[in-house]
Each structure stands twice: as structure tokens, then as C-alpha cells.
Amino acid sequence: MSANFRSRRDLLKTAGSIAGAVLLNPRNLLSQQTPADYTLTIATSPIELAKDRIVSVTTYNGQFPGPLLRFQEGKPVTVEVHNNTDTPEQLHWHGQFLPADVDGAAEEGSPFIPPRGSRRITFTPGPSGFRFYHSHVRAGANLANGQYGGLVGPVYIEPRQNPGHYDQEIFLTLKEFQPTLSRGGDMAMDFLAPAATVPSLKQSGESKMKASLAAGHPHGYEVGYESFTINGRMLGHGDPIRVKTGQRVLFHILNGSATEIRSLALPGHTFEVVAMDGNPLPKPVRVPVLWLGTAERLSVLVEMNHPGVWILGDLANDDRHHGMGIVVEYANHTGKPLWLPPPPFKWNYARFGNPVAPGKPNQTPLLAQERIEVIDMLFEKQNAALDGFNQWTINGQAFPSEMSAMSGTSDPATPQFHLREGRRYRIRMKNASDDIHPIHLHRHTFELTRIAGQATSGILKDVVMVGGYQEIEIDFTANNPGLTLFHCHQQLHMDFGFMTLFDYL
Ligand SMILES: [Cu+2]
């Protein structure tokens, strides 16, 4: 390998002496010689979810989740990604403000990491907080590709000053394995608040569904899973989280699922939510239950004040019994871990924001109403329209799937929406389907401003769940020129049309 390396360098040197400095970027030469700060290798490897349950999936560096990458805000890093598979790959840096060619989305023009090849990138991490990286290729009907496998890993970007005050910091990645297709699913629907739906959206969605079923179509495919894990281990099969009475434990929780919404509770304890999607909240908020849509993150402090051996687990009994949980064990306590269902609780994003008086415009002076340009988006489902898969549209347009297919080429698609740098935008999302969509905007942070009729402010995110037949508004500043992808993070939805592209004029 080193001989190979040297000969390549010699070759470059020769080329340089012949062609002169014009053809060769000295930074490229330098990067050939300097080792990368981080190396990630994509390969198929066995992962032990539980005793006698070993699955073979694509991973980063042979482990699940991928290694925790700790960056420092504003300090450039070089990452080399090797692809030891036969499929072109994209590694997306979720939640960071990066240029489109390193963001890791073919639709934005990021080059693929070629099969059996590699790609080296340098970028300046930011903003600070809990981010993650994951595969960003289309899986379509192939449940071995995209985020269905093990290509998910956490990123923590250290802030310039550290405001933390805790005794232990623990990263948890929630992820299912062994996906299968079924007709219709069992997605939890009634946990969001406010529950108010928009009658016209409901009427439109239901009549389309009725017409489709009347025409003899079955329900479109949904994905289900055999195995549920936290940090790649089914409940009871990994090491417990060991704590001591009186400790404050900071959990950084990532929903790394390809398709599922997750919940968590820890009997006898409450969660003090300090950040959402890595961004500090206006003030910490104490809740008994956590909900995370696909790709959402929560940073929560837990005061360990209820000694025992407990299950930190999903509220859905079936999913918890199939592994979605982890044991929390106090020092000097033994025995069978206990689960107790939490009190009834609804998840309302507005609870985490600044209250806004009813009837008042929910704007801080910075976001003066007259400076905001509204972008309307209508989300619709065409039941079972694509070989049994549901097709998804934004304002009647399905994103062309061949675009993000595995061709290995990365010609950007045609942008549907246009931005001007420096301007403030409001995306008004109307969901005319009964599904909850975790909507993600690349390369930017947005602020939640209205949730199903309820105004709020101060919550900065990069993914938000839009409830069935509900309307949500998010505001963002166009401050990172370049192609910008917007999509539902549910793999089955994004793969079958639920994506669109912004450009800057
Ligand atoms: Cu969706």
C-alpha cells in the first residue's frame, strides 16, 4: 500500500514538473501527503444485535453505530471515506452548514463515493451541538440500501465555550434492523399536540384514499422490522448504563431509524430537554416522555434520583419486547430491570419554545413580518401508485427517482424553489395525508413558528414532524448559498417522490 502511495505521489510530482504549477492544485498535493483526521470505511459487516442474532449490514468501520466523531466548531477537519461496497455511496453530514459538494447528497451535486473507491473532504464543522452522519442514497425497494442498514453515526461539535454541567455524557442511537415490507402499518398517530387537523386537508386525503381502494388498489407498502436496538444492541443484550444516585447524566439521543418514529421513558425519572436537533432551547423543559421522528435528536439531562434497575425503553410494548430499550442500573442495585408505563403525555413542540400570546404575530423584531416570503407546500400521497409503493408529491410534483438512483452520477435535479441570499422565508407545510412526516431541510437551521395552529418561537431545528392532516410553519434565513435539499426523512417517502430542491438566485 505504501509503495502504491509513493508511486502515486511520484506520478503527481512528475505531472507537476511537466505541466507546471497551473494544472496542479498544491492543496491537493498536500492532502495526498497528510493523513486524514478521520477515516470512515463503508463495508458489509456482521453486527451482533443479541446473542444468536447476528445480522450482516453495511456499517462504518465495522461497527454500529458508526464511531462518534467529535469536532470543534470552526476548526477544519479532513475526513476520508472508503467505500468497500459495490454501490455508490453518499455520506451526509446532517445538521451542519456545509457547502453543497461536501454535504453528501447527489441531488445537491455532491460527488458519489465510488464503489471500491474513496473520497477525501475537508470542511469546517458547525454549528456546535449534536449532529450525525448517515448514508444518503436511494434504497427504493431494496431494503439493504440507504439508511435501512447500519450506515448511521453520531457527531458532536464542541462549542467554543462549554456550558455543560453533568457527571456522565451518553450517546444513544435508536435503530431497527431486519426490515420487511407489509401492506399498511401501525404508526403511532395520536401522540402529537395540538391535535387539530385541517378539515380541507382531511377531506382531500380521505377522498383520494377512498377512490384508490374503490378502484381495487391495496394499501401501499410500509416497512416493519424484526429487531429493535439502542446502540446496536437489543434490550438486555448490551452493557447497562451504570449510574450512581445523585448523578446528572446528559443523554444525546438520535433516532437513526430509516422510517420509524420512536418514544422513550425511564420509570420514576423525568427528562430535562436542553437541546433539540443539537440546538439549545430557550430554556430547559422537563417532560416524562420523549418522542423523536426519524433523524430527530434530543439532548436531555436526567437526575438519577430513583435508585433501582430500570428499562429506558420505547412506549410501544411490542417494539420494546423486540429490543427497543436499554437497562439503567444504579450502583449497588441488582435484579430484573423494571418497566412501568409513563403517565399519559402528548408531545407538543410549542412546550419547548417561547410562548406567543394568541392573536399576536409570533415574530421577534429580527423576523419582522413584512420581510418574510412565504413558500406554500402541499404534501400528498398517491396510494400504491408505484408498483405497490405509495408515491409522494410536493405541490403535485414527485421528485424524479432516477435522479437519486444508484447511477453513480450526480447531476443536480432541477430546483423547484428559488431563494435569495439573506432573505427570510417561511415554509407553510400542509399535509394532506394521514401519515406523520419528519421533514428535513439540508444545510440550514429553521425555527418553528406555528404548530397546528399554535404559534411559537425560539425552537431551532433541522427536522420537524408534520402530523397527519396538519399544518406547520417553519422560518429560515437563506444564508448558505448552493443547492439545498428538502425532504421527508422517512426513507420510503423520500425514495418515492417526497423531495424537492432549492437553489439560490
Ligand atoms: Cu414522509
Side-chain angles (χ1 to χ4, degrees), residues 40-352:
L40 293 171
T41 301
I42 301 166
T44 305
S45 24
I47 294 296
E48 189 179 311
L49 307 179
K51 213 166 174 276
D52 301 325
R53 193 171 299 196
I54 300 168
V55 295
S56 181
V57 291
T58 45
T59 61
Y60 297 112
N61 296 3
Q63 62 179 82
F64 186 85
L68 167 64
L69 304 182
R70 278 192 182 267
F71 299 145
Q72 268 173 287
E73 187 181 23
K75 188 184 169 209
V77 288
T78 299
V79 182
E80 195 158 289
V81 189
H82 299 283
N83 180 5
N84 291 354
T85 73
D86 296 316
T87 310
E89 268 295 339
Q90 286 283 351
L91 190 153
H92 171 49
W93 299 100
H94 187 118
Q96 295 199 48
F97 301 160
L98 302 183
D101 64 332
V102 296
D103 189 50
E107 298 81 358
E108 296 173 342
S110 308
F112 278 93
I113 308 148
R116 309 285 160 189
S118 59
R119 185 170 186 235
R120 173 185 277 233
I121 51 170
T122 298
F123 61 89
T124 304
S128 64
F130 185 28
R131 316 287 164 209
F132 77 115
Y133 58 101
H134 64 83
S135 172
H136 207 293
V137 296
R138 183 173 191 271
N142 183 348
L143 303 187
N145 273 336
Q147 227 179 293
Y148 293 115
L151 293 178
V152 176
V155 169
Y156 194 82
I157 305 176
E158 308 284 353
R160 289 198 175 88
Q161 306 114 339
N162 193 348
H165 181 66
Y166 48 83
D167 302 298
Q168 282 198 66
E169 185 182 37
I170 293 171
F171 289 81
L172 302 178
T173 301
L174 318 181
K175 182 83 167 70
E176 310 78 10
F177 290 92
Q178 299 172 288
T180 51
L181 292 174
S182 64
R183 295 283 188 188
D186 57 352
M187 186 195 267
M189 294 297 295
D190 56 353
F191 65 93
L192 287 175
T197 55
V198 179
S200 59
L201 295 176
K202 190 168 183 176
Q203 199 269 326
S204 144
E206 283 182 346
S207 66
K208 280 178 74 168
M209 191 67 200
K210 228 166 112 185
S212 173
L213 296 176
H217 299 289
H219 282 270
Y221 289 119
E222 302 288 349
V223 176
Y225 301 89
E226 293 274 308
S227 300
F228 295 71
T229 73
I230 294 185
N231 289 349
R233 292 297 188 126
M234 294 171 75
L235 174 59
H237 291 274
D239 288 334
I241 297 169
R242 294 193 174 87
V243 301
K244 289 185 183 124
T245 305
Q247 275 189 338
R248 277 163 69 83
V249 179
L250 176 61
F251 290 96
H252 295 296
I253 304 164
L254 159 66
N255 181 350
S257 179
T259 58
E260 299 248 307
I261 294 166
R262 298 257 63 96
S263 58
L264 280 179
L266 177 62
H269 298 76
T270 56
F271 305 102
E272 189 183 332
V273 184
V274 294
M276 283 186 157
D277 296 350
N279 307 313
L281 291 172
K283 57 177 188 320
V285 178
R286 205 176 282 275
V287 291
V289 169
L290 305 175
W291 284 90
L292 302 100
T294 307
E296 283 191 297
R297 286 92 67 211
L298 291 172
S299 299
V300 304
L301 276 165
V302 179
E303 208 173 301
M304 294 299 167
N305 54 11
H306 197 63
V309 183
W310 306 104
I311 292 172
L312 170 61
D314 200 289
L315 271 60
N317 291 333
D318 203 40
D319 297 354
R320 204 176 57 256
H321 293 152
H322 285 86
M324 190 50 79
I326 189 166
V327 175
V328 174
E329 188 183 283
Y330 279 73
N332 306 317
H333 285 261
T334 52
K336 200 169 143 36
L338 271 182
W339 168 259
L340 299 165
F345 181 76
K346 300 277 182 196
W347 188 252
N348 184 348
Y349 287 114
R351 178 189 289 261
F352 303 92

Side-chain angles (χ1 to χ4, degrees), residues 392 435-439 488-490 493-494 498:
W392 296 91
D435 305 63
I436 298 171
H437 301 291
I439 299 293
C488 178
H489 218 286
Q490 215 276 23
H493 300 178
M494 70 181 283
F498 208 144

Side-chain angles (χ1 to χ4, degrees), residues 257-489:
S257 179
T259 58
E260 299 248 307
I261 294 166
R262 298 257 63 96
S263 58
L264 280 179
L266 177 62
H269 298 76
T270 56
F271 305 102
E272 189 183 332
V273 184
V274 294
M276 283 186 157
D277 296 350
N279 307 313
L281 291 172
K283 57 177 188 320
V285 178
R286 205 176 282 275
V287 291
V289 169
L290 305 175
W291 284 90
L292 302 100
T294 307
E296 283 191 297
R297 286 92 67 211
L298 291 172
S299 299
V300 304
L301 276 165
V302 179
E303 208 173 301
M304 294 299 167
N305 54 11
H306 197 63
V309 183
W310 306 104
I311 292 172
L312 170 61
D314 200 289
L315 271 60
N317 291 333
D318 203 40
D319 297 354
R320 204 176 57 256
H321 293 152
H322 285 86
M324 190 50 79
I326 189 166
V327 175
V328 174
E329 188 183 283
Y330 279 73
N332 306 317
H333 285 261
T334 52
K336 200 169 143 36
L338 271 182
W339 168 259
L340 299 165
F345 181 76
K346 300 277 182 196
W347 188 252
N348 184 348
Y349 287 114
R351 178 189 289 261
F352 303 92
N354 295 316
V356 178
K360 288 234 178 94
N362 53 332
Q363 301 308 317
T364 58
L366 182 73
L367 331 175
Q369 190 75 42
E370 65 272 17
R371 289 190 57 234
I372 290 203
E373 219 166 283
V374 175
I375 297 169
D376 278 294
M377 288 195 192
L378 177 66
F379 306 151
E380 289 174 294
K381 168 162 78 178
Q382 268 55 252
N383 179 61
L386 295 170
D387 301 327
F389 289 90
N390 298 324
Q391 184 182 48
W392 296 91
T393 59
I394 298 176
N395 294 351
Q397 264 182 269
F399 198 83
S401 62
E402 63 273 17
M403 189 19 248
S404 50
M406 276 117 55
S407 61
T409 59
S410 50
D411 305 319
T414 310
Q416 196 179 351
F417 299 96
H418 312 289
L419 306 171
R420 280 179 201 281
E421 189 176 359
R423 216 170 264 189
R424 188 86 178 163
Y425 292 90
R426 168 165 303 164
I427 308 178
R428 188 185 290 147
M429 300 181 280
K430 295 186 168 83
N431 178 9
S433 75
D434 58 353
D435 305 63
I436 298 171
H437 301 291
I439 299 293
H440 174 44
L441 177 66
H442 281 230
R443 306 175 60 244
H444 297 75
T445 294
F446 54 76
E447 180 180 12
L448 304 188
T449 44
R450 192 170 291 271
I451 321 285
Q454 186 172 358
T456 188
S457 70
I459 307 164
L460 303 175
K461 293 180 67 36
D462 52 56
V463 179
V464 63
M465 287 184 276
V466 181
Y469 305 130
Q470 291 196 325
E471 193 178 310
I472 280 194
E473 290 176 8
I474 56 174
D475 291 6
F476 74 102
T477 301
N479 56 6
N480 193 10
L483 292 173
T484 298
L485 204 57
F486 171 102
H487 62 92
C488 178
H489 218 286

Side-chain angles (χ1 to χ4, degrees), residues 12 16 20-34:
L12 286 168
V22 188
L23 277 181
L24 280 176
N25 179 348
R27 280 192 59 188
N28 289 345
L29 259 184
L30 188 71
S31 71
Q32 293 288 337
Q33 293 160 359
T34 334

